[in-house]
């Protein structure tokens, strides 16, 4: 059945194209922090989601029955427990003087949420790079145009202690270091297995083409087995990628690595290209292994049957 073998090889070639697109693009995982940024820029920074109960008690320290009022640097009174931070997430104790700022400088805003003290950007990330999304943050775009911030940063596949937060207790630092090693191993497994999958599928496609040219059923059968093996490696790669993303979101401490609930995040179209390539690879492996068995059964049926005693 050369038709089935040819269809399997065409599907394998399409699977290679989808996997190549997934490897060369950065839209595996996407985040959208526009809603969170707009909420934190509002005075008070409270969430107004339906059903969300806001408990500001942890932000209002007790002062022995006396109500003390804080004042900003410009002399304006602030509510107790309210932090004065800038757009870039700088606390009130920074050296920037807001009394003598110009009109173009970022204005301070009030925030009651502890997540508003951190800077969240809308990003897209792949196997090799993590980039800022274009048109999602005007302040970041201005810094990128000025050359102060890079549009994309490479994904690390080696361990370095410079990425660890400072001024943390020893036990917390040890936990973060162990989690960093675990996340690094997951990233290495993702990149390694998808590279193996592409290599095995390409090798199987070459063997399948030679089998079709020489009408060799055994070569087509081996090509189908290689396609199934490449699909297995692709399954392992995608599963470790999903596990790595979930592990990054659940790392300890949550205040450093977690995402607020109003930040949209999910898988991008590069991930779906990889899943599509996986499906086509498994289908091509099924067709290429099925074709030799059908051709063998047809040849056995059409073989003439010898009579008893005939020479």
């Amino acid at each position: 059945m050369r038709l089935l073998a040819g269809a399997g090889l065409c599907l394998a070639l399409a699977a290679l194209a989808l996997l190549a697109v997934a490897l060369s693009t950065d839209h595996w995982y996407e985040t959208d922090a526009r809603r969170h940024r707009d909420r934190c820029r509002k005075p008070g920074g409270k969430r107004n989601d339906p059903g969300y109960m806001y408990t500001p008690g942890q932000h209002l320290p007790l002062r022995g029955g006396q109500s003390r009022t804080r004042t900003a640097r410009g002399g304006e009174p602030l509510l107790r427990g309210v932090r004065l931070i800038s757009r870039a997430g700088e606390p009130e104790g920074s050296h920037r003087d807001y009394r003598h700022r110009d009109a173009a400088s970022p204005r301070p805003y009030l925030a009651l949420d502890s997540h508003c003290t951190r800077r969240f950007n809308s990003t897209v990330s792949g196997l090799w790079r993590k980039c800022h999304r274009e048109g999602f943050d005007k302040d970041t775009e201005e810094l990128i145009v000025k050359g102060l911030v890079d549009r994309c940063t490479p994904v690390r596949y080696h361990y370095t202690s410079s990425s660890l937060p400072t001024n943390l207790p020893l036990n917390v630092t040890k936990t973060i270091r162990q989690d960093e090693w675990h996340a690094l191993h997951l990233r290495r497994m993702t990149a390694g297995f998808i590279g193996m999958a592409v290599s095995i599928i390409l090798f199987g496609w070459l063997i399948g083409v030679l089998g079709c040219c020489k009408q060799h059923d055994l070569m087509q059968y081996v090509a189908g087995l290689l396609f199934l093996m490449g699909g297995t490696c692709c399954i392992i790669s995608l599963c470790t990628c999903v596990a790595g993303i979930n592990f990054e979101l659940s790392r300890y401490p949550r205040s450093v690595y977690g995402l607020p609930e109003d930040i949209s995040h999910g898988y991008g179209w590069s991930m779906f290209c990889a899943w599509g390539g996986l499906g086509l690879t498994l289908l091509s492996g099924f067709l290429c292994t099925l074709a030799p068995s059908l051709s063998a059964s047809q040849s056995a049926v059409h073989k003439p049957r010898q009579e008893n005693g005939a020479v």
Side-chain angles (χ1 to χ4, degrees), residues 4-310:
L4 287 179
L9 291 177
C10 292
L11 291 178
L13 188 61
L16 281 174
L18 288 177
L19 291 177
V21 170
L23 281 171
S24 59
T25 53
D26 303 320
H27 293 266
W28 286 67
Y29 184 72
E30 301 176 349
T31 61
D32 187 357
R34 290 177 295 181
R35 186 173 59 177
H36 174 77
R37 185 179 63 251
D38 294 340
R39 177 178 65 84
C40 288
R41 284 177 177 175
K42 295 179 181 179
K46 293 185 178 181
R47 293 179 53 179
N48 53 2
D49 302 347
Y52 181 78
M53 298 180 63
Y54 191 81
T55 55
Q58 57 182 349
H59 302 285
L60 302 177
L62 299 178
R63 294 293 184 180
Q66 296 180 358
S67 177
R68 299 181 59 184
T69 303
R70 295 175 57 191
T71 58
R73 295 195 177 187
E76 300 177 357
L78 293 178
L79 297 177
R80 186 177 59 183
V82 178
R83 297 180 179 179
L84 179 64
I85 54 180
S86 66
R87 279 185 174 179
E90 297 180 356
E92 182 188 3
S94 61
H95 297 286
R96 181 179 295 178
D97 192 356
Y98 293 103
R99 292 176 297 181
H100 304 287
R101 62 177 183 270
D102 53 357
S105 62
R107 301 180 62 183
Y109 62 98
L110 302 178
L112 287 173
D113 193 352
S114 60
H115 286 293
C116 291
T117 59
R118 294 175 55 192
R119 177 71 176 183
F120 292 96
N121 296 311
S122 301
T123 59
V124 291
S125 58
L127 297 180
W128 320 114
R129 298 187 307 174
K130 183 176 182 180
C131 303
H132 295 278
R133 304 181 73 172
E134 296 183 4
F136 278 70
D137 191 352
K138 296 182 179 179
D139 298 336
T140 306
E141 292 292 334
E142 293 177 358
L143 294 177
I144 293 174
V145 171
K146 294 178 181 178
L148 301 178
V149 176
D150 296 331
R151 168 70 68 180
C152 299
T153 56
V155 176
R156 293 184 298 102
Y157 284 93
H158 62 280
Y159 178 79
T160 173
S161 59
S162 60
S163 61
L164 297 179
T166 58
N167 300 327
L168 291 177
L170 181 60
N171 56 346
V172 177
T173 304
K174 184 178 180 181
T175 303
I176 293 176
R177 186 179 291 109
Q178 293 175 354
D179 292 344
E180 187 70 22
W181 273 108
H182 187 59
L184 180 63
H185 290 328
L186 290 175
R187 287 196 294 268
R188 288 174 175 176
M189 289 179 63
T190 299
F193 273 100
I194 199 169
M196 291 173 57
V198 171
S199 302
I200 292 173
I201 295 171
L202 181 59
F203 184 62
W205 185 79
L206 295 175
I207 292 179
V209 170
L210 292 177
C212 287
C213 294
K214 295 184 178 181
Q215 297 183 0
H216 203 291
D217 294 340
L218 182 59
M219 296 180 70
Q220 296 177 4
Y221 188 77
V222 171
L225 293 180
L226 289 175
F227 291 155
L228 294 177
M229 187 182 300
T232 304
C233 293
C234 193
I235 290 175
I236 297 174
S237 175
L238 293 177
C239 289
T240 52
C241 179
V242 173
I245 292 174
N246 293 332
F247 179 76
E248 289 285 352
L249 294 177
S250 61
R251 287 181 59 178
Y252 176 83
R254 297 292 180 85
S255 59
V256 178
Y257 296 99
L259 289 178
E261 296 180 359
D262 53 355
I263 291 183
S264 302
H265 57 96
Y267 304 111
W269 56 268
S270 298
M271 174 71 80
F272 293 106
C273 286
W275 283 106
L278 168 62
L280 293 180
T281 301
L282 296 178
L283 184 58
S284 62
F286 173 74
L287 293 178
C288 290
T289 52
L290 183 63
S293 61
L294 291 179
S295 62
S297 62
Q298 288 183 357
S299 62
V301 170
H302 294 292
K303 185 178 180 180
R305 185 177 179 181
Q306 295 181 355
E307 298 292 337
N308 292 331

